[in-house]
Each structure stands twice: as structure tokens, then as C-alpha cells.
Amino acid sequence: MTKGFGNVTNKIKKTKYGAGKSEKSINQQMSQFEKLKKSGGDIYDLYVNVEGEEIFYFTGKISTLSGNVAEAIKMQKALATEYIRTIVPTLPFKLQFFYALGNSEISVAKNEMGLTKASPN
């Protein structure tokens, strides 16, 4: 199958973590994110943490039109977990999710802005 620029073949990659999402799923979610963003959706930065540790990993961005960030995180949890485990494969199975206002990565890194813990479900 050829798609994109210059007839580049897009190969679907399977991973051993999370819900078994593929590159295609990630691209579909990115497209949906951009649509929500253009429609005026609220943007949040997503982080994960291992309980009891001080390190927080920036995992990506989420958007919601409803304003219900907990529901948005719940819907993206499997994909976000899979993504961060491709970067840090040694993370344990159980992760905690946190969020901050969108585009606040620098303020969070400087401890000028805190993170809000997402509900555990």
C-alpha cells in the first residue's frame, strides 16, 4: 500500500506493550487531536509517573471539547501507556497519570506549575 509523499510504503508496526496499537492508530489519534484542537477543544499536557518516584515523563497532549479531562485521559490511556513504554521500556505495568494545561511543559519543568493527578480508572 502506498500513501503520503513520494509513494512511501506505510508499514504497520505492532508493539508488545499496552493495547497493541499500531503506527496507524497513532496517526489516526493525531488526526483526531488536530480536529478537536481546530474546533476549540481544551488542550492538556499528559504525564505519567511511577508511584513513589520523583520522575514524571511527558507523554503527549490530549484534547477535549466537553471539558472532561478525566474522560479524555481514560480514552487515551492505553495508547499513551504504549507510547511511553517505547521510550522508557523499563517502566512497570502500573502507572499514574497527571495533566497540566496545554503547552505548559516549560513551566512544569521549572516547577512554576504543578500537575493534577488524573482519576485512577
Side-chain angles (χ1 to χ4, degrees):
M1 173 184 349
T2 58
K3 290 185 178 180
F5 301 102
N7 292 330
V8 176
T9 301
N10 288 334
K11 294 181 180 178
I12 304 301
K13 296 178 183 177
K14 293 184 180 180
T15 63
K16 64 180 185 175
Y17 299 108
K21 300 289 184 187
S22 64
E23 183 179 329
K24 181 178 177 182
S25 295
I26 292 170
N27 289 336
Q28 288 172 339
Q29 291 301 316
M30 185 62 179
S31 175
Q32 185 63 25
F33 171 82
E34 290 299 328
K35 288 177 186 175
L36 288 169
K37 186 172 139 182
K38 287 179 183 175
S39 297
D42 297 326
I43 308 293
Y44 297 93
D45 294 337
L46 188 62
Y47 297 81
V48 295
N49 165 265
V50 176
E51 188 172 358
E53 293 187 12
E54 293 183 16
I55 298 173
F56 288 79
Y57 300 93
F58 176 75
T59 307
K61 296 181 179 290
I62 57 173
S63 181
T64 177
L65 289 172
S66 70
N68 188 341
V69 67
E71 187 64 28
I73 291 171
K74 184 178 176 183
M75 291 176 66
Q76 297 300 323
K77 202 176 241 187
L79 189 62
T81 299
E82 179 179 353
Y83 169 74
I84 196 62
R85 286 201 175 111
T86 63
I87 297 169
V88 188
T90 57
L91 287 174
F93 181 72
K94 191 171 183 177
L95 299 172
Q96 300 180 104
F97 283 80
F98 293 79
Y99 64 93
L101 292 177
N103 303 317
S104 63
E105 300 94 329
I106 301 297
S107 295
V108 169
K110 291 180 177 181
N111 288 323
E112 296 171 351
M113 177 182 286
L115 299 174
T116 303
K117 187 174 182 178
S119 62
N121 296 330

